[in-house]
Amino acid sequence: MSSTDLPGAGDPLRALLRDVHLLAPDQLSAVIAAHGRRLGARESVIYLADYEQLLLQPLRGEGVPPRQELSVDGSLGGRAFRRVQVLSSPAHSGTQRLWVPLLDGVERLGVVEFVLDTITPAVEEEMRAFVGLIAELIVVNDSYTDIFAQLRRRKTMSLAAELQWDLLPPLTFASDRVVISAALEPAYDIGGDTFDYAINGPTVDLMVLDAVGHGLPAAVLASTAVGAYRHARREMRDLPDVAAAMNAVIASEFSDSRFATAAIARLHLDTGQLRWVNAGHPDPLVVRDGALLRPGPCKPHPPLGLQLKKPDVCETQLHAGDRVILYTDGIVEARSPTGDFFGEQRLADFVYRASAAGDPAPETVRRLMRHVLAHQADHLQDDASIIVLEWRTGDERRLQL
């Protein structure tokens, strides 16, 4: 039987799946370029976003044309990444260049650049499908290699940051009921700040945590707290019991009076009921139709590791389209050179204006973190992490991701 008689031999996408079955991760870019040619692309180049989402780094390989890194804020490829849109432009010698966002679900990994003779709706649709497959291959292979993680680094990453990034969920999730986007800074030297979330049928669990201290000791404390949080959450415990479990682990394993503040929340998707416990942490903020709401009253409790009893549960009722913001104090207490705090109102205003301008949720959060840094003259005074959640009823027909 010849190779052309093999099942799927005439289908480039099925052929790619067959060819990557035993593929080494360092050969992925070369195989993608070769299969891109079978689809009619003269050139196919994968770009991955760096950890700060400032640059798009080309994934090099045999047969892949040389490329320079691209600015997320100053290139057409960067615009495709920012807006999550397929964009095209003239290339050279009568060819055209197509930029397709590289997405794992709605998580932005980067973009893929194609150089084509012509771009038709049918060609664009086929390239979208091709890039969808590329994203899945990158996510799967990322578990087996350091190549992609190394490519995404623009500078040396601290051990503390390494621990934190390895624990994080994807920065973005979306369904017809909820959109979640998150970020943390400084990307290469984060210590005690972290976040987590999980979508479990009709509920969404969220947590933002700030471990006392800096560097590796804070990262170890934060990592332990996240492990305890996930363990209690997966045992389907109620929020006070989740907090109690985290408190017990921190108190027993870190006996030098170390602690972590946290906001631990749970949203019921069918009703919009938001419940949370406050462990010495800023309460969630709600942005509704441009207005900043402070849900409450909510009784604060000591930080995790210092609690003597289970915390009380606070709750509020969301409206469709509400945005809930969980954050650490590194966001609102960011101080300008003149001493002006970034503050809750500026935070809420930025989120609302960005959404009203049509920015996708992950781009809103990415730009927000750049705005917080600019407010401090690009000198981050404290770790900063944030989760922005939008609750939807499911009746919306246009989902802005």
Side-chain angles (χ1 to χ4, degrees):
M1 180 183 292
S2 69
S3 61
T4 57
D5 294 327
L6 292 171
D11 182 340
L13 298 185
R14 292 174 65 185
L16 174 60
L17 283 174
R18 186 183 65 247
D19 289 352
V20 299
H21 181 58
L22 295 176
L23 186 71
D26 63 324
Q27 299 173 12
L28 180 62
S29 59
V31 170
I32 293 301
H35 280 267
R37 288 189 286 273
R38 294 186 60 179
L39 287 167
R42 294 190 179 194
E43 299 177 359
S44 305
V45 183
I46 300 168
Y47 296 78
L48 298 181
D50 77 298
Y51 282 95
E52 292 178 306
Q53 297 186 333
L54 292 175
L55 294 175
L56 296 167
Q57 305 279 13
L59 183 60
R60 296 175 174 86
E62 184 178 351
V64 179
R67 290 291 192 273
Q68 299 298 315
E69 62 186 26
L70 300 175
S71 167
V72 167
D73 291 304
S75 67
L76 189 60
R79 184 181 174 191
F81 176 85
R82 296 194 317 268
R83 303 296 299 175
V84 196
Q85 292 177 343
V86 177
L87 299 175
S88 62
S89 67
H92 54 82
S93 303
T95 59
Q96 293 179 282
R97 186 168 279 118
L98 189 71
W99 300 93
V100 183
L102 184 64
L103 305 173
D104 174 28
V106 296
E107 168 78 348
R108 301 181 301 179
L109 306 177
V111 295
V112 181
E113 172 198 4
F114 298 107
V115 176
L116 300 144
D117 291 327
T118 58
I119 299 174
T120 65
V123 168
E124 181 178 319
E125 186 62 29
E126 191 156 30
M127 292 304 171
R128 284 175 180 266
F130 187 32
V131 172
L133 182 53
I134 293 170
E136 295 300 320
L137 293 173
I138 289 174
V139 170
V140 170
N141 279 273
D142 195 32
S143 301
Y144 310 125
T145 185
D146 294 325
I147 291 173
F148 306 136
Q150 291 168 337
L151 179 67
R152 296 179 60 205
R153 298 179 188 214
R154 296 176 52 243
K155 59 186 79 168
T156 300
M157 180 173 287
S158 70
L159 176 56
E162 192 86 56
L163 291 173
Q164 297 291 52
W165 278 103
D166 282 347
L167 275 177
L168 289 180
L171 298 181
T172 304
F173 170 84
S175 71
D176 62 341
R177 307 302 306 277
V178 66
V179 181
I180 298 171
S181 235
L184 80 173
E185 289 284 354
Y188 295 94
D189 200 27
I190 193 76
D193 273 23
T194 192
F195 63 84
D196 197 29
Y197 67 84
I199 294 84
N200 297 311
T203 61
V204 177
D205 282 276
L206 310 116
M207 179 194 67
V208 169
L209 181 138
D210 183 357
V212 65
H214 300 281
L216 187 57
V220 172
L221 174 55
S223 299
T224 303
V226 170
Y229 170 66
R230 290 177 176 172
H231 181 255
R233 187 185 72 207
R234 289 164 182 168
E235 289 191 336
M236 303 178 67
R237 299 186 189 181
D238 197 13
L239 293 180
D241 295 308
V242 171
M246 297 173 68
N247 179 76
V249 168
I250 295 172
S252 63
E253 298 301 323
F254 301 90
S255 57
D256 51 352
S257 298
R258 294 173 62 201
F259 59 87
T261 70
I264 307 169
R266 181 168 292 163
L267 171 65
H268 197 288
L269 291 174
D270 292 335
T271 65
Q273 180 195 49
L274 179 71
R275 303 169 67 240
W276 76 96
V277 295
N278 180 326
H281 199 85
D283 281 322
L285 299 177
V286 176
V287 179
R288 178 179 299 160
D289 299 327
L292 170 62
L293 306 178
R294 293 177 175 85
C298 180
K299 181 180 179 181
H301 290 269
L304 301 172
L306 304 178
Q307 293 181 359
L308 300 178
K309 65 176 183 176
K310 292 182 184 179
D312 298 320
V313 177
C314 311
E315 64 178 66
T316 192
Q317 180 61 47
L318 299 184
H319 293 185
D322 280 358
R323 291 171 180 83
V324 179
I325 306 174
L326 302 181
Y327 59 96
T328 60
D329 55 12
I331 299 284
V332 296
E333 293 181 7
R335 192 190 296 263
S336 71
T338 60
D340 182 29
F341 285 117
F342 191 80
E344 295 176 346
Q345 189 63 57
R346 188 180 275 114
L347 169 60
D349 288 346
F350 186 95
V351 169
Y352 176 74
R353 288 198 307 270
S355 176
D359 282 349
E363 182 59 18
T364 294
V365 173
R366 187 191 78 90
R367 288 183 54 232
L368 171 63
M369 298 306 276
R370 305 269 71 76
H371 199 54
V372 170
L373 280 166
H375 184 78
Q376 301 171 91
D378 292 327
H379 179 68
L380 200 63
Q381 297 145 7
D382 191 9
D383 293 350
S385 59
I386 189 168
I387 294 179
V388 178
L389 173 149
E390 181 181 350
W391 177 61
R392 296 170 177 263
T393 65
D395 294 330
E396 296 86 354
R397 291 293 177 263
R398 179 176 179 270
L399 177 61
Q400 178 65 51
L401 302 180

